Amino acid sequence: MADSIPLNPVRKSSKRIGNYRSARLSRFSLEDEPSNLDEMPLMMSEEGFENDESDYQTLPRARMGQRHRGLGWFLLGGWKVLCSSCCDCLAHICWRKKELKARTVWLGCPEKCEEKYPKNAIKNQKYNIITFVPGVLYQQFKFFLNLYFLVVACSQFVPSLKIGYLYTYWAPLGFVLAVTMVREAVDEARRYQRDKEMNSQLYSKLTVRGKIQVKSSDIQVGDLIIVDKNQRIPADMIFLRTSEKTGACFIRTDQLDGETDWKLKVAVCCTQRLPAVGDLFSISAYVYAQRPQLDIHSFEGNFTRDDTDPQIHESLSIENTLWASTVVASGTVIGVVIYTGKETRSVLNTSCAKNKVGLLDLELNRLTKALFLAQVVLSVVMVALQGFVGPWFRNLFRFVVLFSYIIPISLRVNLDMGKSAYGWMITKDKNIPGTVVRTSTIPEELGRLVYLLTDKTGTLTQNEMIFKRLHLGTVSYGTDTMDEIQNHIMQSYAQVTSQPSGGSTGSASSTTASQKTQPSGPKVRKSVSSRIHEAVKAIALCHNVTPVYESHAAVNGETESAEADQDYSDDNRTYQASSPDEVALVRWTESVGLTLVNRDLTSLQLKTPSAQILSFLILQIFPFTSESKRMGIIVRDESTGDITFYMKGADVAMASIVQYNDWLEEECGNMAREGLRTLVVAKKCLCEEQYQDFENRYNQAKLSIHDRALKVAAVVESLEREMELLCLTGVEDQLQADVRPTLELLRNAGIKIWMLTGDKLETATCIAKSSHLVSRNQDIHVFKPVSNRGEAHLELNAFRRKHDCALVISGDSLEVCLRYYEHELVELACQCPAVVCCRCSPTQKAQIVRLLQQHTDNRTCAIGGL
């Protein structure tokens, strides 16, 4: 690998290095610039040291581009760059984008909107009736092949240049253009039909006079829309009411973010408590929504009801939103529209339709230019043989026309027809049923792929978790010893049935009673039993899982009798959550004796092995985010009144939160090497005064309009201190069927596969080996953690000396290397047969895909959540 990379060692120049150090001393620490940095050659020049770090990669390339610009650059394609730049500038001036602003939306009153918002219509077409012909002709004649034949055909209208009949030149060109236009017209017709079906879907709109049916394209900001079960949400809305008595519903977001898990959404409390749906028009309320943005995982807003004294204010977050293109999975929902059309999250995250050009077309275009040059040279030779007598320039052009058959126009016709046939064969292939070819211009690109970038969870794995291990610090339980945990849980709650008050019993009292009935047991056994009980109870409480019962409910939504007769039978219960990890944990607590039987917005109930029901009030929930990497819940035990704060999350986030221990880091590494996903569980007991103080500060932070997320995070972090470490869990994500032979076939075909995941380094490495992403006889180079420029320089040199090995790098190290040595890292990584990037954020995943496209001329395919 090292031999194939040209190195430009840094010259030792005291003057230049001195200037560099004096200018940059305030921006870099001393450890960033070790004294032996010059002795480690990398692809760097003195220009890179002299310029600011933001210009380190761009400025040398810009100067190189400027040096090469001239007449030759202009004739060989520079004119197209200049023309496109002028057109973009004019388009920006003529069609300047409207500035997106925050808005106030009154419930059911679209006429009160202060501004005019875009129409709620979906449009994926590239052309319209006016621009179709000019657009297709421009896309065709921007290629040299078609432009060449157009010039030749037009020259036949000049009598002195005419050779043969006109149809011999215009008929082939017209046939090529006709085939292309028919193909583009068919694609446009399909896009138009899909858009028409979406825009014509009917929805129930709530008005003062009752319900009316409106098309999706006629929905406006401020409308109250009713969406039934299994119906697509037409626009971005705030969730006001639901037919579910819990005040929440599930939605499917696979068309928005690619995730198959259901998401729990919560209705606004103020509107959910209204006696009837029609009361939405009897109140005066409005929603303040932030300006439209790309992020589908965050939202900040406020709900205000101003016809009461005092006014009712309620903060709105992502759990109160219903984004367009998602599907209602349970119940019927009512929402107020806040964003429509081009301002919805789904459209903002969708790139504009553009014409894609394959490598084959580009190569054919270059080949045509070479043949044209040969044709001109041959014509000059023929004119020279005549001695350049008479109108030799006219003879030169006639020779060019005569030799035009050297460039076969039938090649382009056959290529276009072959692409159409190839797309049809892909659609009809029985081995890949349901495949749709959405672009018929580049189906052959599938055979030109060099890099395949894939996510891990749900792509290489099934995203179906199985609980495998529980570690308490001194003892570990695996799948073969789960019966011991079940026995401990049964003993902990055994005393409940013998107590005269058969009501709900707190876990603390039941545990104490259980321990008092076992005076003969060893002290260590009692300690382990208590710790197991606390760990299992924490896992059973700290989650966002909702049990769903397929009850025999009455029609017309009257389910009260069905709920009264609910027996909480195991066969009738399924779990729904936004993460399969949480479902796996709750199923495991059910298998050991502590079952989640009911949950709503304010409470949850657990059933013990003795069939007793433990009730808990949900005081606060802190959902999981990719930034925090943890989730928490504050519950109150109804029997004892004790308030407990439970939290679980990734080890990197929880290590600084839990009390000091000497086993967490080691055991996390051990589980990760087995391919298990780890979660750290902790708790903290709160007194009433502590919680009341926290609640006041938390509610104030949630109502903030500016920097709400930072203020809320600061309040929550005030609780996340010195938490008691309860346990470490490990779940396994099983591989997809036939993933091993598939990856081996792709690798044998010369495709380099990169896996980008947010999991731990050890977990990602284990999955890479088990899925055969990395072959058995292949070495793996684990890129050591780096935090500054000097460490990155050293590690890149160490990696440069490796040959034919797979690379495993973490997101933090990747960020440092891309900051200083972007080109060098990409060039080295591209020579690896496989690359695994772990602990990557979604932003870093997208950045890696763009880097490969920019630094290589090879075709790149990103699948999964990339």
Side-chain angles (χ1 to χ4, degrees):
M1 183 182 299
D3 299 333
S4 60
I5 300 179
L7 298 179
N8 299 320
V10 179
R11 300 173 184 173
K12 294 186 178 181
S13 174
S14 58
K15 179 179 178 180
R16 291 183 180 270
I17 298 298
N19 293 337
Y20 165 73
R21 288 179 176 173
S22 61
R24 304 292 298 280
L25 188 57
S26 61
R27 302 191 62 177
F28 293 101
S29 60
L30 291 177
E31 63 178 1
D32 284 355
E33 300 300 332
S35 58
N36 61 345
L37 190 62
D38 295 344
E39 300 176 3
M40 299 175 290
L42 270 179
M43 296 180 63
M44 296 182 59
S45 65
E46 293 174 330
E47 287 181 301
F49 282 92
E50 291 175 350
N51 297 295
D52 187 46
E53 68 179 57
S54 61
D55 297 329
Y56 167 65
Q57 293 294 338
T58 59
L59 190 56
R61 296 191 182 99
R63 290 179 178 176
M64 186 177 297
Q66 291 175 1
R67 285 196 299 266
H68 288 294
R69 292 188 178 185
L71 182 60
W73 171 83
F74 180 82
L75 295 176
L76 293 177
W79 62 274
K80 290 197 296 185
V81 176
L82 295 177
C83 291
S84 61
S85 300
C86 294
C87 293
D88 293 340
C89 183
L90 291 175
H92 177 73
I93 295 174
C94 298
W95 294 283
R96 188 170 298 169
K97 289 186 178 180
K98 180 182 176 182
E99 182 181 359
L100 301 179
K101 299 179 181 178
R103 61 195 63 186
T104 300
V105 180
W106 291 84
L107 270 61
C109 300
E111 64 276 1
K112 288 187 178 182
C113 294
E114 301 174 354
E115 298 184 16
K116 185 178 180 180
Y117 299 112
K119 188 178 180 181
N120 191 49
I122 297 175
K123 184 179 179 181
N124 292 313
Q125 299 106 285
K126 293 188 291 185
Y127 311 104
N128 55 37
I129 297 178
I130 300 175
T131 62
F132 177 75
V133 174
V136 174
L137 291 179
Y138 169 75
Q139 293 298 329
Q140 291 302 307
F141 290 126
K142 73 177 183 180
F143 289 103
F144 182 80
L145 176 64
N146 292 337
L147 182 62
Y148 167 77
F149 282 108
L150 177 65
V151 173
V152 171
C154 290
S155 69
Q156 297 306 295
F157 289 107
V158 180
S160 60
L161 300 178
K162 185 177 180 181
I163 299 176
Y165 297 100
L166 285 177
Y167 67 84
T168 59
Y169 296 93
W170 283 99
L173 181 61
F175 181 75
V176 171
L177 295 178
V179 170
T180 303
M181 284 192 172
V182 169
R183 187 186 62 195
E184 288 288 342
V186 171
D187 290 345
E188 281 294 291
R190 291 174 179 172
R191 296 189 192 101
Y192 173 77
Q193 189 62 32
R194 289 196 298 264
D195 293 346
K196 184 178 179 181
E197 292 176 0
M198 301 291 285
N199 294 327
S200 300
Q201 289 182 356
L202 296 178
Y203 292 88
S204 297
K205 175 182 174 181
L206 200 62
T207 64
V208 179
R209 297 182 297 274
K211 299 179 183 178
I212 61 173
Q213 295 291 317
V214 295
K215 292 183 179 180
S216 174
S217 58
D218 296 332
I219 293 175
Q220 300 176 349
V221 172
D223 286 343
L224 297 179
I225 303 298
I226 302 175
V227 185
D228 297 323
K229 183 179 179 180
N230 295 326
Q231 195 173 18
R232 182 186 69 90
I233 296 174
D236 289 353
M237 304 191 300
I238 295 297
F239 188 12
L240 299 180
R241 285 180 66 88
T242 177
S243 60
E244 300 290 309
K245 294 186 178 297
T246 59
C249 77
F250 286 100
I251 64 170
R252 298 195 297 269
T253 63
D254 52 328
Q255 295 299 319
L256 182 64
D257 56 12
E259 297 182 5
T260 57
D261 304 307
W262 292 7
K263 305 293 191 301
L264 182 68
K265 297 295 180 178
V266 181
V268 177
C269 294
C270 181
T271 52
Q272 179 67 25
R273 289 195 299 261
L274 295 176
V277 175
D279 293 335
L280 289 172
F281 289 96
S282 64
I283 65 173
S284 176
Y286 62 88
V287 170
Y288 173 81
Q290 64 180 171
R291 66 181 182 87
Q293 58 183 15
L294 293 172
D295 191 1
I296 63 175
H297 300 295
S298 66
F299 176 78
E300 293 181 2
N302 289 325
F303 175 88
T304 303
R305 181 177 178 181
D306 61 355
D307 60 349
T308 60
D309 190 19
Q311 293 183 349
I312 298 176
H313 298 280
E314 189 172 342
S315 65
L316 302 176
S317 62
I318 186 63
E319 65 181 6
N320 305 119
T321 59
L322 301 171
W323 296 144
S325 300
T326 58
V327 178
V328 178
S330 63
T332 301
V333 303
I334 302 176
V336 58
V337 178
I338 57 173
Y339 308 126
T340 56
K342 296 182 293 184
E343 296 179 347
T344 59
R345 292 293 202 272
S346 60
V347 176
L348 288 175
N349 283 275
T350 303
S351 59
C352 298
K354 58 182 180 180
N355 293 280
K356 299 180 180 179
V357 180
L359 280 177
L360 196 57
D361 293 310
L362 297 177
E363 292 169 351
L364 180 61
N365 200 47
R366 289 194 293 266
L367 181 61
T368 304
K369 293 178 182 179
L371 291 176
F372 174 72
L373 291 177
Q375 187 177 326
V376 172
V377 171
L378 187 58
S379 300
V380 171
V381 172
M382 298 301 294
V383 173
L385 292 176
Q386 291 180 346
F388 291 99
V389 295
W392 63 269
F393 53 88
R394 186 179 62 185
N395 295 335
L396 175 64
F397 199 92
R398 290 172 63 89
F399 277 121
V400 171
V401 175
L402 282 172
F403 292 137
S404 62
Y405 292 101
I406 294 178
I407 303 176
I409 193 172
S410 60
L411 177 61
R412 186 59 188 266
V413 178
N414 296 335
L415 181 62
D416 290 343
M417 297 181 67
K419 288 181 178 182
S420 300
Y422 188 30
W424 181 84
M425 293 171 62
I426 293 175
T427 305
K428 299 299 181 180
D429 194 337
K430 296 181 180 180
N431 295 324
I432 46 176
T435 304
V436 178
V437 179
R438 299 191 181 275
T439 304
S440 60
T441 56
I442 55 170
E444 79 285 352
E445 290 291 284
L446 290 175
R448 306 293 296 268
L449 292 180
V450 177
Y451 296 100
L452 178 65
L453 291 88
T454 174
D455 192 13
K456 182 183 75 68
T457 305
T459 306
L460 297 182
T461 61
Q462 299 180 11
N463 204 18
E464 295 180 0
M465 310 299 174
I466 300 176
F467 192 93
K468 287 293 186 179
R469 183 158 300 177
L470 177 72
H471 203 289
L472 302 176
T474 57
V475 60
S476 177
Y477 295 93
T479 53
D480 54 344
T481 56
M482 292 300 176
D483 54 340
E484 298 183 20
I485 298 179
Q486 189 174 7
N487 294 334
H488 285 299
I489 297 298
M490 294 179 64
Q491 293 174 8
S492 299
Y493 291 103
Q495 191 65 21
V496 176
T497 55
S498 63
Q499 291 182 357
S501 58
S504 300
T505 306
S507 59
S509 60
S510 64
T511 303
T512 305
S514 175
Q515 291 176 357
K516 288 182 179 179
T517 57
Q518 301 175 2
S520 59
K523 186 174 181 180
V524 175
R525 182 64 178 270
K526 291 180 182 179
S527 175
V528 170
S529 179
S530 176
R531 290 163 62 190
I532 290 176
H533 171 260
E534 284 297 324
V536 174
K537 186 176 76 169
I539 296 173
L541 290 174
C542 186
H543 54 74
N544 213 351
V545 180
T546 302
V548 178
Y549 295 91
E550 298 295 333
S551 57
H552 303 287
V555 295
N556 299 327
E558 297 178 1
T559 59
E560 294 183 1
S561 60
E563 290 179 359
D565 298 335
Q566 184 62 257
D567 57 356
Y568 301 118
S569 61
D570 294 340
D571 298 335
N572 200 32
R573 180 176 54 248
T574 58
Y575 296 111
Q576 291 293 344
S578 59
S579 171
D581 300 67
E582 293 193 324
V583 175
L585 294 175
V586 172
R587 284 176 178 168
W588 174 77
T589 60
E590 177 184 0
S591 67
V592 297
L594 201 57
T595 306
L596 175 67
V597 293
N598 189 27
R599 178 177 184 146
D600 54 30
L601 296 179
T602 59
S603 64
L604 58 81
Q605 294 177 329
L606 303 178
K607 185 173 70 173
T608 66
S610 55
Q612 296 295 317
I613 301 298
L614 306 179
S615 298
F616 298 87
L617 292 177
I618 300 176
L619 303 180
Q620 300 289 347
I621 294 181
F622 314 112
F624 176 89
T625 63
S626 58
E627 292 78 18
S628 64
K629 294 184 175 60
R630 56 187 181 273
M631 71 87 57
I633 186 173
I634 301 179
V635 297
R636 185 196 300 270
D637 192 330
E638 289 190 357
S639 60
T640 63
D642 294 338
I643 301 176
T644 309
F645 174 34
Y646 292 102
M647 177 165 282
K648 68 180 180 185
D651 58 306
V652 293
M654 299 291 292
S656 60
I657 295 175
V658 299
Q659 297 173 350
Y660 173 77
N661 61 88
D662 57 357
W663 60 271
L664 179 60
E665 182 178 359
E666 180 181 357
E667 293 303 326
C668 283
N670 293 336
M671 288 190 184
R673 278 185 284 273
E674 298 177 17
L676 303 180
R677 297 162 62 99
T678 57
L679 281 176
V680 181
V681 184
K683 79 167 188 176
K684 184 177 184 178
C685 296
L686 304 176
C687 63
E688 190 67 33
E689 292 77 11
Q690 281 180 305
Y691 175 72
Q692 291 299 331
D693 175 66
F694 166 79
E695 186 181 30
N696 293 334
R697 292 185 291 116
Y698 186 67
N699 290 335
Q700 292 178 0
K702 288 200 298 182
L703 291 175
S704 300
I705 297 179
H706 302 290
D707 299 329
R708 175 187 296 181
L710 295 176
K711 294 177 181 178
V712 169
V715 174
V716 175
E717 287 176 1
S718 64
L719 281 184
E720 300 172 345
R721 297 173 182 171
E722 293 297 316
M723 299 189 69
E724 178 186 353
L725 177 59
L726 296 179
C727 64
L728 175 67
T729 65
V731 296
E732 181 186 33
D733 192 2
Q734 295 182 326
L735 293 174
Q736 294 275 12
D738 299 328
V739 69
R740 293 187 180 95
T742 301
L743 292 182
E744 286 184 352
L745 286 174
L746 292 173
R747 190 170 58 249
N748 293 337
I751 297 177
K752 298 180 180 180
I753 306 173
W754 292 28
M755 183 175 74
L756 315 179
T757 177
D759 284 340
K760 289 173 60 66
L761 185 145
E762 293 84 0
T763 305
T765 305
C766 181
I767 294 296
K769 292 179 179 178
S770 61
S771 64
H772 293 180
L773 177 69
V774 178
S775 60
R776 298 185 184 91
N777 57 353
Q778 205 166 65
D779 294 332
I780 297 179
H781 176 80
V782 179
F783 203 91
K784 295 180 181 179
V786 296
S787 58
N788 54 60
R789 186 174 188 172
E791 293 177 355
H793 204 134
L794 284 171
E795 190 59 28
L796 281 172
N797 275 281
F799 175 48
R800 184 167 53 87
R801 290 188 287 268
K802 297 295 182 69
H803 295 270
D804 192 29
C805 65
L807 172 64
V808 179
I809 186 171
S810 64
D812 295 336
S813 301
L814 179 68
E815 183 177 357
V816 175
C817 292
L818 292 180
R819 185 185 308 164
Y820 301 113
Y821 302 114
E822 175 184 301
H823 182 72
E824 290 77 11
L825 176 65
V826 174
E827 191 167 355
L828 289 170
C830 287
Q831 299 186 25
C832 297
V835 176
V836 177
C837 299
C838 57
R839 292 298 191 193
C840 282
S841 64
T843 305
Q844 286 179 321
K845 294 179 181 179
Q847 183 183 10
I848 293 171
V849 176
R850 287 194 298 267
L851 284 175
L852 271 181
Q853 294 174 339
Q854 294 171 1
H855 286 267
T856 65
D857 294 330
N858 300 314
R859 282 302 185 251
T860 303
C861 176
I863 60 175
L866 306 181

